[in-house]
Amino acid sequence: MRLNNRIIARLELPAGKSDVIFFDDDLAGFGYRLRRSGDRVLASWVCQYRAHGRSRRALIGSAQALGTEQARSQAKKLLGAVALGRDPQADVGARGRRRVAVIDNDQRAPGAREAQA
């Protein structure tokens, strides 16, 4: 099925399931995810791909914040980066590791004071 606003309005989380992804037939890897969180069902857009021999999944965004075509456009960008040899999820992790390295190296902002014990 090609994911569009009419189709996703009818999609529901199957009984007994807490997480399901409905994939688009036209754009491989582009999906609509429904996930139970307490008494609510959260809807989000995802992009699944293979990089360096591993299956990876990237969150595009909330279905309440992004429309179908906006999410599809973002998925195309992610899949394009994968086709060029990049791994978008590894890029996200590397940015996080750089932030941790700055903190570990004790590089404070100018004017930062020592914590009082």
Side-chain angles (χ1 to χ4, degrees):
M1 84 185 116
R2 178 178 167 84
L3 296 174
N4 59 42
N5 291 330
R6 185 176 51 85
I7 295 289
I8 66 166
R10 295 185 304 188
L11 295 176
E12 294 181 358
L13 194 59
K17 297 266 187 172
S18 61
D19 192 337
V20 66
I21 300 175
F22 298 95
F23 285 101
D24 188 83
D25 289 338
D26 292 344
L27 183 59
F30 176 54
Y32 180 73
R33 181 180 189 184
L34 294 174
R35 184 170 47 102
R36 186 169 312 282
S37 176
D39 59 345
R40 302 180 319 169
V41 175
L42 303 176
S44 58
W45 297 106
V46 296
C47 182
Q48 188 166 305
Y49 60 92
R50 289 191 68 76
H52 311 295
R54 296 177 55 195
S55 181
R56 306 294 298 253
R57 186 177 302 145
L59 174 68
I60 296 171
S62 166
Q64 285 72 34
L66 292 173
T68 307
E69 292 309 312
Q70 290 171 309
R72 185 181 304 277
S73 175
Q74 289 299 318
K76 286 179 183 178
K77 289 178 185 177
L78 286 170
L79 293 169
V82 171
L84 293 173
R86 290 186 40 226
D87 181 357
Q89 282 299 93
D91 295 346
V92 169
R95 285 194 301 267
R97 284 190 296 277
R98 281 195 296 271
R99 266 185 262 136
V100 170
V102 168
I103 293 168
D104 288 345
N105 289 330
D106 199 30
Q107 296 176 356
R108 292 183 190 81
R113 295 188 331 201
E114 293 278 329
Q116 307 233 341

